[in-house]
Amino acid sequence: DIQMTQSPSSLSASVGDRVTITCRASQGISNYLAWYQQKPGTVPQLLIYAASTLQSGVPSRFSGSGSGTDFTLTISSLQPEDVATYYCQKSNSAPWTFGQGTKVEIK
Amino acid sequence: EVQLVESGGGLVKPGGSLRLSCTASGFTFSNAWMNWVRQAPGKGLEWVGRIKSKTDGGTTDYAAPVKGRFTFSRDDSKNTLYLQMNSLKAEDTAVYYCTTGAWVYYAMDVWGQGTTVTVSS
């Protein structure tokens, strides 16, 4: 099975900072990559699908890029409400494996 | 309103069984590929598996840790998804979410609120 590896596992940044999270697949998955945000105590929400398509209602400070094996989620200007754990997930074929998550905190 | 509502969670002894249900509304359930995702306490998300729509064959895929113990089924007449869990282990303790891609392909844009399964003696 294809493994998904996120880095870093956690980060602390200041409000207004640009934040980048990476996700690497152990084999190519084209653009079958989604990003989810899970705020503390809440249900995960879809942020981005097809590697770079922003889900409806998601702020434009979030963006995704990549194809093949290497992907990034960028928050252009970190806001206090972005404190959450972010997960990537492959969806080219079963199993739809998640990355281990990246916890984002405010410095 | 698009909604998924899980039920059936609870406390069960190791080796026991439990059946979860997920009732859908607000979208065409019969066309949807439905997933189960779980999250153990303090841990990350784990995809448990999925069942395709009947028009796409109704086939199922399971994550390795649950294969042979869990079974997915669906009743499109009731807009309901089921997860039959047998031979439960302590490591199956988690919040179980029902999810689908109601308006997107190859992603999950609709999640239920989750139901908690605790496997303990």
Side-chain angles (χ1 to χ4, degrees):
Chain A
D1 290 345
I2 297 172
Q3 304 304 312
M4 305 300 293
T5 304
Q6 285 182 236
S7 61
S9 55
S10 65
L11 67 89
S12 181
S14 300
V15 172
D17 281 356
R18 184 181 184 88
V19 168
T20 299
I21 299 168
T22 66
C23 178
R24 176 163 289 174
S26 58
Q27 298 175 39
I29 59 170
S30 185
N31 68 336
Y32 291 94
L33 193 284
W35 290 96
Y36 299 87
Q37 176 193 61
Q38 186 177 30
K39 297 182 180 181
T42 69
V43 176
Q45 292 188 318
L46 177 66
L47 286 179
I48 287 167
Y49 61 97
S52 60
T53 303
L54 200 65
Q55 170 69 347
S56 176
V58 173
S60 58
R61 63 179 178 274
F62 290 92
S63 65
S65 64
S67 182
T69 60
D70 293 309
F71 303 86
T72 58
L73 172 69
T74 300
I75 308 173
S76 61
S77 177
L78 186 68
Q79 300 301 305
E81 59 267 32
D82 300 334
V83 169
T85 301
Y86 295 84
Y87 298 91
C88 64
Q89 184 195 33
K90 65 173 280 288
S91 58
N92 60 318
S93 62
W96 281 17
T97 308
F98 286 96
Q100 79 277 18
T102 296
K103 188 174 183 179
V104 174
E105 298 176 322
I106 300 291
K107 193 181 294 182
Chain B
E1 180 189 8
V2 177
Q3 200 172 14
L4 295 170
V5 179
E6 303 95 335
S7 60
L11 175 63
V12 60
K13 288 182 168 54
S17 297
L18 204 60
R19 189 177 82 155
L20 306 184
S21 299
C22 169
T23 302
S25 59
F27 64 99
T28 307
F29 178 79
S30 60
N31 290 343
W33 292 16
M34 299 300 298
N35 302 272
W36 289 98
V37 173
R38 68 183 180 182
Q39 187 168 36
K43 302 298 184 182
L45 301 174
E46 180 182 21
W47 184 80
V48 176
R50 67 149 179 242
I51 182 167
K52 294 182 179 180
S53 63
K54 285 189 168 56
T55 55
D56 288 321
T59 55
T60 53
D61 292 286
Y62 299 91
V66 308
K67 198 166 187 178
R69 301 187 298 122
F70 288 14
T71 303
F72 309 134
S73 61
R74 61 191 299 159
D75 184 339
D76 291 345
S77 68
K78 295 181 179 179
N79 285 357
T80 301
L81 171 71
Y82 301 102
L83 169 54
Q84 177 66 43
M85 303 186 291
N86 298 331
S87 303
L88 282 161
K89 307 175 182 180
E91 51 264 40
D92 295 319
T93 294
V95 175
Y96 285 74
Y97 297 103
C98 164
T99 78
T100 191
W103 311 117
V104 300
Y105 291 107
Y106 299 101
M108 303 180 293
D109 60 343
V110 181
W111 294 62
Q113 85 287 352
T115 188
T116 300
V117 172
T118 302
V119 184
S120 174
S121 56

